[in-house]
């Protein structure tokens, strides 16, 4: 049976991704000085304007405006004609401390049995459900559509920053439609690529260059055929982009950040949140578990749901779905997961060393399936342990 599935990605110059990067740059800067800080930092951008807001509790001082301008400069908004410039944009900062009603539950889990505040007794920073997913469609154990979409936007940025295509500007998007047969990816059906550019370049040149320097260098040729459709800058013009063309907000690209819609999403965003927020640490641990299950060959697909209550350390529930690909039942896999993975927030933070400043690098091109950066939740160090439980 044939079916089509589509995922999208955006470049680091997309308005929403600018906000994600600023939020995580602020988080990283704080964690360097105060690893126990509580950070929930959100950013909004529009034409030459940046608003930084949220709740931050820390004993250190950082220069937030300097971080904002440095991040925007690194992305590439340094031209006066783009309507958004790291030197001239207005930066407004409005921050408060974390609510004491929340922090009391995080500092000391409601179901902790001793009086000492230990890492393992940290309560969840909020209620909610988090999902992790893995499949064997790619070596990175992520779905092929989102994997290819991210590779295209990364290459768009590479050819821009390396001045291979000097007319490109920071904003851009990709979209990849993959055709599946009996559940396996067999070909790329459609590629949509939109790249911001200056006014002095023709549509024909953009199409030829993006095909040569981006698409043909990223998409494996065996996935392309004479029926593959290419839609490059389909509106014909993409000069006005970035925050001048559209406002941006932290956490508005959650499907881009995860699995491209291939699997479930609990709804919580990642960027700007310290790891006591289970929106982030819970989703990372769910991916860690699912990836190890697939890497162990217990199943070829695996989705893990973990649910939390605010202030409570132990998960409310854990649900495993292997889409009928498991070598054993999903209930049996759940029991093995509970045996080998401690999914309390404090234990997750300790196991994956999440109090480190590692987050800005995740804020564009996806949080999962990355080989270009070293992310602890992408380890498959427990795959052999899980395999022995089933195949020994």
């Amino acid at each position: 049976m044939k079916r089509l599935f589509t995922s999208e990605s955006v470049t680091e110059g997309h308005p929403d991704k600018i906000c994600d990067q600023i939020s995580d740059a602020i988080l990283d800067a704080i964690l360097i000085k105060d690893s126990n800080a509580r950070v929930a930092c959100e950013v909004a951008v529009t034409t030459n304007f940046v608003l930084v807001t949220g709740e931050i509790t820390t004993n250190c001082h950082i220069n937030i405006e300097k971080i904002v301008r440095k991040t925007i400069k690194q992305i590439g908004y340094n031209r006066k004609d783009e309507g958004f410039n790291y030197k001239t944009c207005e930066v407004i900062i409005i921050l408060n401390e974390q609510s004491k009603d929340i922090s009391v539950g995080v500092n000391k889990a409601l179901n902790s049995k001793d009086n000492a505040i230990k890492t393992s007794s940290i309560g969840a920073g909020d209620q909610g459900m988090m999902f992790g997913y893995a499949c064997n469609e790619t070596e990175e154990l992520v779905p092929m559509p989102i994997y290819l979409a991210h590779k295209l936007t990364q290459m768009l940025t590479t050819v821009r920053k390396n001045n291979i295509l000097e007319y490109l500007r920071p904003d851009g998007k990709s979209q990849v439609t993959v055709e599946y047969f009996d559940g396996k990816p067999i070909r790329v059906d459609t590629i949509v690529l939109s790249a911001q550019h200056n006014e002095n370049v023709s549509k024909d040149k953009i199409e030829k260059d993006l095909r040569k320097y981006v698409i043909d260098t990223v998409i494996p040729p065996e996935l392309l055929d004479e029926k593959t459709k290419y839609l490059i800058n389909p509106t014909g013009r993409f000069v006005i982009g970035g925050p001048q063309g559209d406002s941006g907000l932290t956490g508005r690209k959650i499907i881009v950040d995860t699995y491209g819609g291939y699997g479930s999403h609990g709804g919580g965003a990642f960027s700007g949140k310290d790891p006591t927020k289970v929106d982030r640490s819970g989703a990372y641990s769910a991916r860690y578990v699912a990836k190890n299950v697939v890497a162990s060959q217990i199943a070829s697909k695996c989705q893990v749901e973990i649910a939390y209550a605010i202030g409570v350390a132990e998960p409310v529930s854990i649900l495993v779905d292997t889409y009928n690909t498991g070598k054993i039942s999903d209930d049996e896999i759940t029991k093995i997961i509970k045996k080998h993975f401690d999914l309390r927030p404090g234990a997750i933070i300790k196991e994956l060393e999440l109090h480190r400043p590692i987050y800005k690098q995740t804020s564009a091109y996806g949080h999962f399936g990355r080989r270009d950066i070293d992310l602890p939740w992408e380890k498959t160090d427990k795959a052999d342990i899980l395999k022995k439980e089933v195949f020994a």
Side-chain angles (χ1 to χ4, degrees):
M1 182 174 126
K2 290 185 179 180
R3 70 184 183 100
L4 300 175
F5 192 88
T6 303
S7 294
E8 71 161 341
S9 178
V10 298
T11 66
E12 60 199 58
H14 185 281
D16 294 330
K17 277 293 148 196
I18 295 171
C19 297
D20 287 343
Q21 289 166 92
I22 293 172
S23 294
D24 274 338
I26 292 169
L27 172 63
D28 278 356
I30 292 172
L31 291 178
I32 289 172
K33 295 183 176 183
D34 180 8
S35 62
N36 293 314
R38 299 288 158 74
V39 181
C41 178
E42 297 187 6
V43 175
V45 298
T46 188
T47 303
N48 229 29
F49 178 84
V50 181
L51 170 66
V52 181
T53 187
E55 299 80 41
I56 296 178
T57 303
T58 181
N59 57 21
C60 74
H61 173 76
I62 61 168
N63 189 329
I64 291 178
E65 182 175 344
K66 184 177 180 180
I67 292 169
V68 169
R69 296 189 188 280
K70 180 180 178 182
T71 303
I72 296 169
K73 180 182 180 181
Q74 288 173 340
I75 293 169
Y77 284 102
N78 48 28
R79 294 178 175 85
K80 294 181 179 179
D81 61 346
E82 288 177 337
F84 192 70
N85 182 284
Y86 80 96
K87 288 184 178 179
T88 61
C89 65
E90 182 180 4
V91 179
I92 302 296
I93 302 167
I94 305 174
L95 294 167
N96 296 302
E97 289 192 347
Q98 184 182 64
S99 162
K100 292 181 180 179
D101 292 345
I102 295 175
S103 63
V104 67
V106 178
N107 290 337
K108 181 64 178 171
L110 297 177
N111 60 349
S112 178
K113 295 181 179 179
D114 58 47
N115 293 322
I117 297 178
K118 297 181 179 179
T119 301
S120 60
S121 68
I122 291 175
D126 201 353
Q127 70 175 42
M129 62 281 189
M130 293 79 215
F131 290 89
Y133 182 84
C135 62
N136 62 4
E137 292 180 14
T138 60
E139 291 184 4
E140 291 75 11
L141 303 186
V142 292
M144 185 171 286
I146 189 66
Y147 171 77
L148 295 177
H150 282 320
K151 289 298 180 183
L152 287 172
T153 51
Q154 282 181 303
M155 187 57 69
L156 265 183
T157 297
T158 296
V159 297
R160 171 177 64 87
K161 288 188 170 182
N162 290 342
N163 293 319
I164 296 171
L165 300 178
E166 296 183 2
Y167 58 80
L168 290 183
R169 297 296 180 257
D171 200 356
K173 291 183 175 183
S174 72
Q175 189 170 282
V176 178
T177 301
V178 173
E179 181 179 315
Y180 287 78
F181 183 76
D182 287 345
K184 296 183 179 180
I186 59 171
R187 59 182 289 273
V188 171
D189 181 81
T190 306
I191 296 171
V192 182
L193 197 59
S194 298
Q196 186 188 11
H197 57 87
N198 68 24
E199 287 190 289
N200 302 318
V201 59
S202 69
K203 187 177 189 300
D204 286 344
K205 180 171 176 56
I206 294 171
E207 289 181 351
K208 290 177 182 177
D209 284 348
L210 295 191
R211 179 74 182 269
K212 176 180 178 180
Y213 293 105
V214 180
I215 294 173
D216 290 347
T217 61
V218 167
I219 308 297
E222 63 270 19
L223 293 176
L224 303 173
D225 57 30
E226 69 279 359
K227 294 183 179 179
T228 301
K229 298 179 283 292
Y230 303 90
L231 302 173
I232 299 173
N233 278 20
T235 66
R237 176 183 168 90
F238 190 2
V239 174
I240 299 174
Q244 184 183 20
D246 193 7
S247 61
L249 186 66
T250 297
R252 204 156 56 180
K253 284 289 178 284
I254 57 177
I255 299 301
V256 171
D257 285 342
T258 52
Y259 309 102
Y262 207 116
S264 302
H265 196 295
F270 301 156
S271 290
K273 297 178 181 178
D274 76 82
T276 66
K277 279 73 173 175
V278 285
D279 278 342
R280 185 163 219 161
S281 55
Y284 289 167
S285 64
R287 162 64 176 173
Y288 178 48
V289 173
K291 187 174 184 181
N292 274 272
V293 169
V294 173
S296 71
Q297 299 180 350
I298 295 174
S300 57
K301 296 180 181 179
C302 181
Q303 179 172 278
V304 176
E305 181 200 35
I306 310 171
Y308 294 94
I310 187 168
V312 181
E314 292 287 347
V316 172
S317 66
I318 301 170
L319 177 66
V320 173
D321 185 355
T322 60
Y323 305 88
N324 297 316
T325 68
K327 298 294 192 297
I328 57 177
S329 72
D330 291 348
D331 286 343
E332 290 176 293
I333 294 174
T334 302
K335 291 177 183 178
I336 294 172
I337 287 171
K338 289 180 178 179
K339 179 179 177 181
H340 294 287
F341 294 89
D342 189 341
L343 297 176
R344 294 174 297 171
I348 293 169
I349 292 168
K350 184 177 180 181
E351 170 82 17
L352 300 180
E353 300 180 280
L354 296 182
H355 270 317
R356 296 176 294 148
I358 60 173
Y359 298 106
K360 183 175 180 291
Q361 61 184 343
T362 69
S363 56
Y365 314 116
H367 294 243
F368 308 120
R370 302 284 295 273
R371 286 192 169 190
D372 55 320
I373 53 179
D374 183 20
L375 300 175
W377 51 88
E378 290 297 303
K379 298 183 297 183
T380 55
D381 55 331
K382 293 192 177 183
D384 287 341
I385 297 172
L386 302 184
K387 185 181 293 186
K388 289 178 182 178
E389 287 276 1
V390 178
F391 300 112

